[in-house]
Amino acid sequence: MRLAAIASALAIVLCVAVFGAILLQKASIPVPAPAPPQATPTEGRAPGSVVTVADSAAESAVGEPVAAAQTSPAPAAPPAPLPAAMPTSCSNPNALGISRVVEIDTTGGPGFGFEHFKSHDFLREGEVVLTFDDGPWPKNTLAVLAALAAHCTKAIFFPIGLHATYEPGILKQVAAAGHAVGSHTWCHQDLSKTKGRCNVDGKVQTVEYDPKDEIEKGISAVRWAVGGPTAPYFRFPVLRQPQELIDYLGKRNIAIFSADMDSFDFKMRKPEQVRQSVMDKLKKHGKGIVLMHDFQHATAEAAMDLLNDLKAGGYKVVFMKPKFPVTTIASYDELILKQVSKGGADSRPTSSVVRTISE
């Protein structure tokens, strides 16, 4: 009896030991990490095509923008990122927001806007791209920025290079808010001509210019004002686009923006007129790239209500995010530095220089 009990006890101990060893072995086997989620498949794209990278403002995956350096970096240096494409949260429950973000490969200089270009019909019914020209300008650009921020949405800005040197602090705010910042020449010259008028040393006078210089000085001035990467996006003043300059921008890998509808807000003095112009044209076209001017006071006053109108009308904003930033040309960068040094330009925002302490 005693021997049987001892044998039984030994058998139990042996089973426990074997079972424990098995458990220990399983615990020591590393569990593979879950595979990262795969990106939504996209169609193979040719240079200059458009690819959707997010379909909702709630998708935070777009928070990591494509990065690239302004100039060729050393191998170990991290590339400079473009601003975030869209907000990850919005405190306004009635915000227009961003319904879709598309990434733009500007290789070869694609054109957008059916007024001049028919190749890339990527907008869906009811989708709108907001664009603003001729800034930055005190009060007006800031009012447009405030309206866009309140509606948690994004736009493309095409600033004039000379204006950028006047108000670099404002343009820094535009870029910091995640909007795309392209360019619109140095002095808003008609590039189908070589003579025009520009502010030189504080006086508006007749000047002769090389159209390519006008383009490159504008790009370098905007890059200087922002102090970081800007978009390879360009819009011709008065939408006059000589073929040789279209070809030139193609070699520079800079996308050209026309428009699907021009608000003609520069002809208007009342914000209600701007709102009616945009909404009437959207009703007619159903979708499109809208051309407005943050330089214009009526547009600045209309901005908030216009975004409310778009929301009420069921329109959705698409943000065109550049795949990589523009590359400036060193000789024009140096030219702009001399220009702003000569003019005593201050890169600080006015709010940091002048502050109201009592009223």
Side-chain angles (χ1 to χ4, degrees):
M1 181 70 71
R2 182 178 295 178
L3 287 174
I6 292 173
S8 178
L10 287 173
I12 292 171
V13 170
L14 183 60
C15 288
V16 170
V18 171
F19 185 67
I22 291 172
L23 287 178
L24 184 62
Q25 184 179 17
K26 284 186 176 182
S28 65
I29 297 173
V31 178
Q38 295 185 351
T40 303
T42 56
E43 297 178 3
R45 60 181 188 268
S49 63
V50 183
V51 175
T52 298
V53 294
D55 272 298
S56 169
E59 294 183 42
S60 60
V62 191
E64 292 294 331
V66 174
Q70 186 65 19
T71 56
S72 299
L82 285 159
M86 61 201 291
T88 56
S89 62
C90 185
S91 59
N92 179 4
N94 299 313
L96 183 58
I98 301 172
S99 68
R100 190 160 64 106
V101 176
V102 293
E103 182 184 79
I104 307 300
D105 180 354
T106 62
T107 303
F112 299 96
F114 266 42
E115 190 166 331
H116 292 91
F117 304 104
K118 313 295 184 185
S119 297
H120 301 294
D121 184 11
F122 68 96
L123 290 176
R124 303 164 186 164
E125 191 68 17
E127 289 187 334
V128 178
V129 175
L130 303 172
T131 71
F132 295 92
D133 290 7
D134 294 359
W137 206 249
K139 296 184 180 179
N140 296 345
T141 301
L142 294 175
V144 171
L145 279 181
L148 293 169
H151 269 276
C152 302
T153 195
K154 303 293 181 198
I156 305 173
F157 286 78
F158 293 95
I160 295 172
L162 186 60
H163 290 180
T165 65
Y166 294 159
E167 295 290 344
I170 294 177
L171 207 54
K172 283 179 171 63
Q173 291 181 57
V174 174
H179 303 290
V181 181
S183 59
H184 196 42
T185 73
W186 165 251
C187 201
H188 204 268
Q189 302 290 6
D190 180 346
L191 297 187
S192 66
K193 302 176 181 179
T194 57
K195 183 180 287 188
R197 293 180 66 76
C198 186
N199 190 321
V200 180
D201 298 329
K203 294 181 180 179
V204 176
Q205 51 190 283
T206 300
V207 295
E208 293 187 359
Y209 53 85
D210 180 324
K212 290 180 182 177
D213 289 344
E214 265 290 303
I215 291 172
E216 296 297 349
K217 280 181 68 178
I219 293 170
S220 288
V222 169
R223 172 64 176 79
W224 170 83
V226 169
T230 54
Y233 294 168
F234 180 81
R235 178 173 273 156
F236 283 89
V238 296
L239 299 182
R240 290 181 183 165
Q241 309 175 153
Q243 186 59 50
E244 64 270 21
L245 295 180
I246 291 176
D247 295 341
Y248 175 75
L249 290 165
K251 294 175 182 177
R252 291 278 282 112
N253 296 323
I254 295 172
I256 303 167
F257 279 74
S258 177
D260 293 312
M261 59 203 80
D262 189 338
S263 67
F264 291 106
D265 55 352
F266 58 90
K267 297 181 179 181
M268 300 166 186
R269 294 293 175 265
K270 297 180 179 179
E272 294 80 10
Q273 294 173 313
V274 178
R275 291 169 59 190
Q276 183 174 351
S277 172
V278 172
M279 297 307 295
D280 285 352
K281 290 179 179 182
L282 268 175
K283 185 176 180 180
K284 177 181 177 181
H285 293 278
K287 63 178 183 179
I289 298 172
V290 182
L291 193 165
M292 296 175 282
H293 299 79
D294 55 310
F295 177 78
Q296 297 296 328
H297 183 65
T299 303
E301 286 191 316
M304 184 68 77
D305 287 332
L306 175 58
L307 296 181
N308 290 338
D309 293 342
L310 291 173
K311 175 68 175 180
Y315 292 99
K316 299 179 183 298
V317 172
V318 172
F319 180 63
M320 298 175 70
K321 174 179 176 288
K323 184 177 181 180
F324 46 78
V326 71
T327 301
T328 57
I329 295 175
S331 59
Y332 289 98
D333 291 342
E334 293 169 4
L335 193 63
I336 294 302
L337 284 175
K338 290 179 182 177
Q339 178 89 18
V340 296
S341 298
K342 177 182 177 183
D346 191 337
S347 62
R348 297 173 297 167
T350 300
S351 59
S352 71
V353 179
V354 181
R355 181 171 62 92
T356 298
I357 56 175
S358 65
E359 288 185 338

